[in-house]
Amino acid sequence: MNIYVSNLGYNFQIEDLVNLFIEYGVISSARIVEDKFTNKSKGFGFVEMPNRLEGEKAILELNGKEIDGRVMSVAEAPPPRERSGYQNRYR
């Protein structure tokens, strides 16, 4: 299960994200999305949990939780969009 986590503090690290979710079960991956030019956090990330029940429990208990003065939003991530390759915007 892929979980979207938003409204994170800009100093939030991957280790912080893992520490939040590890008590709910196994984490197969975690990442915080960064700006490609500044390498600073954009304030959101993703956590992958292989066990759906553990992921659903994490979402239920962490959504709306306040961390460092910010209320997190935690939800199942939508499936990735299929990209159709190069598109000419000027046609």
Side-chain angles (χ1 to χ4, degrees), residues 71-85:
V71 178
M72 288 191 311
S73 178
V74 182
E76 183 172 1
R81 292 184 295 175
E82 190 174 308
R83 296 185 182 200
S84 60

Side-chain angles (χ1 to χ4, degrees), residues 4-38:
Y4 173 71
V5 185
S6 63
N7 204 28
L8 298 172
Y10 295 108
N11 294 322
F12 214 74
Q13 302 291 315
I14 291 173
E15 296 80 19
D16 301 322
L17 198 54
V18 168
N19 288 336
L20 276 177
F21 280 82
I22 197 72
E23 74 177 76
Y24 299 100
V26 175
I27 297 171
S28 54
S29 70
R31 73 182 182 106
I32 292 180
V33 177
E34 296 177 339
D35 181 276
K36 66 181 176 181
F37 298 110
T38 64

Side-chain angles (χ1 to χ4, degrees), residues 38 42 47 49 51 56:
T38 64
K42 287 188 165 188
V47 174
M49 297 182 80
N51 184 301
E56 288 173 350

